[in-house]
Amino acid sequence: MPLFSNASSYTLPKRLYGAAELLLGSLLLIAVGKGLPLLMATPANWWVAFAFYTFISALVIIFWPHGALGWANRVTLVRAVVVSLVAGALAANAFVGAIWQWLAIAVIALLLDGVDGWIARRTKSHTRFGARFDMELDALLILLLCAGLLRLESLGFWVLLIGAMRYLFIAASWQFPWLSKPLFASFRRKAVCVWQAVALLLALTPLTSHLIASLLAVSALISLTYSFGFDVWWLYRKSKHSERS
């Protein structure tokens, strides 16, 4: 099901308002990146950061045809800038020599996750797009942290499963449509999401031994596998109940 079924009914000029804000976001990326010379040390770092930001911007233009983004989505756009810088610093392993800076901007991206939701509730501007925009940035950031952990600790490619599991779930839903049905609200799901981020950040700090980093990554993978497994089981049972009805 598309994010907005009536996206094509809006005219191009409305999209230009959003495009102008996305352009301002790119200027913010340049300004912040210039202040992080250790992370944005080579042209490759800038190319990767802008590639990620351009891809995110293209999706925003496609799925947000309503003009100005609104304050909640603007905060999420700032998160997109920060996440793009996290991605850019992975190129040429620039983040390795400035690991604390890299972790700091990753933490900022995570902290902003609560700000955009708070603004959306305060301004009564909560939308499906905003929730999805926020969720996809969370998933992308987790995957990027997994990529950093793979490089720093040489844990094996299994660590990427932590970040890739959501994308595998989405891919599976193309074959099994019942996986794309709405899920119930769950504290368990939120807690596992938080633990993923905390475990990966702790595993990435230079103060953490290889053994502890491995255990933290394993705990994140096990908890995430359980959470996804429970949701898959629940959706499957719901689909079978619907068929019998």
Side-chain angles (χ1 to χ4, degrees):
M1 180 182 293
L3 212 55
F4 288 100
S5 58
N6 62 339
S8 61
S9 66
Y10 289 82
T11 58
L12 179 61
K14 273 197 171 183
R15 293 182 189 274
L16 291 178
Y17 285 100
E21 295 194 65
L22 292 166
L23 179 59
L24 290 176
S26 69
L27 297 178
L28 178 63
L29 188 152
I30 293 172
V32 176
K34 288 290 187 183
L36 300 168
L38 295 178
L39 296 179
M40 298 289 107
T42 70
N45 300 121
W46 285 102
W47 278 108
V48 171
F50 269 103
F52 271 81
Y53 184 77
T54 300
F55 178 69
I56 293 168
S57 297
L59 292 178
V60 171
I61 290 174
I62 291 170
F63 291 112
W64 180 259
H66 305 286
L69 293 176
W71 285 110
N73 287 334
R74 286 171 189 142
V75 173
T76 312
L77 182 62
V78 173
R79 287 192 71 211
V81 168
V82 178
V83 170
S84 297
L85 290 169
V86 171
L90 288 171
N93 293 321
F95 78 104
V96 175
I99 185 63
W100 287 112
Q101 277 191 16
W102 191 68
L103 291 175
I105 62 171
V107 169
I108 290 171
L110 289 168
L111 292 177
L112 286 174
D113 184 22
V115 176
D116 50 12
W118 180 82
I119 291 175
R121 290 189 295 272
R122 292 280 294 184
T123 59
K124 294 181 172 59
S125 58
H126 186 273
T127 63
R128 284 181 61 203
F129 168 83
R132 185 66 180 272
F133 190 12
D134 197 45
M135 184 190 307
E136 296 302 338
L137 284 178
D138 288 340
L140 178 57
L141 180 59
I142 292 296
L143 182 58
L144 294 172
L145 292 177
C146 290
L149 188 58
L150 175 65
R151 165 62 183 83
L152 280 179
E153 295 293 339
S154 303
L155 296 181
F157 284 99
W158 63 266
V159 76
L160 295 179
L161 284 173
I162 301 170
M165 199 170 295
R166 169 172 165 72
Y167 300 105
L168 293 173
F169 181 84
I170 293 172
S173 70
W174 300 338
Q175 179 67 31
F176 304 102
W178 50 268
L179 285 173
S180 61
K181 300 298 181 181
L183 285 163
F184 58 94
S186 168
F187 174 78
R188 177 256 310 161
R189 202 177 298 120
K190 293 177 181 178
V192 168
C193 183
V194 170
W195 175 244
Q196 277 185 91
V198 171
L200 290 171
L201 288 170
L202 289 174
L204 281 160
T205 66
L207 303 178
T208 304
S209 68
H210 179 79
L211 174 60
I212 298 300
S214 301
L215 293 175
L216 286 167
V218 168
S219 72
L221 181 59
I222 291 174
S223 61
L224 190 62
T225 302
Y226 163 75
S227 184
F228 269 103
F230 187 93
D231 286 340
V232 170
W233 172 79
W234 185 84
L235 289 168
Y236 177 75
R237 290 197 60 181
K238 186 179 179 183
S239 70
K240 289 302 179 184
H241 178 75
S242 299
E243 288 175 5
R244 287 194 296 268
S245 302

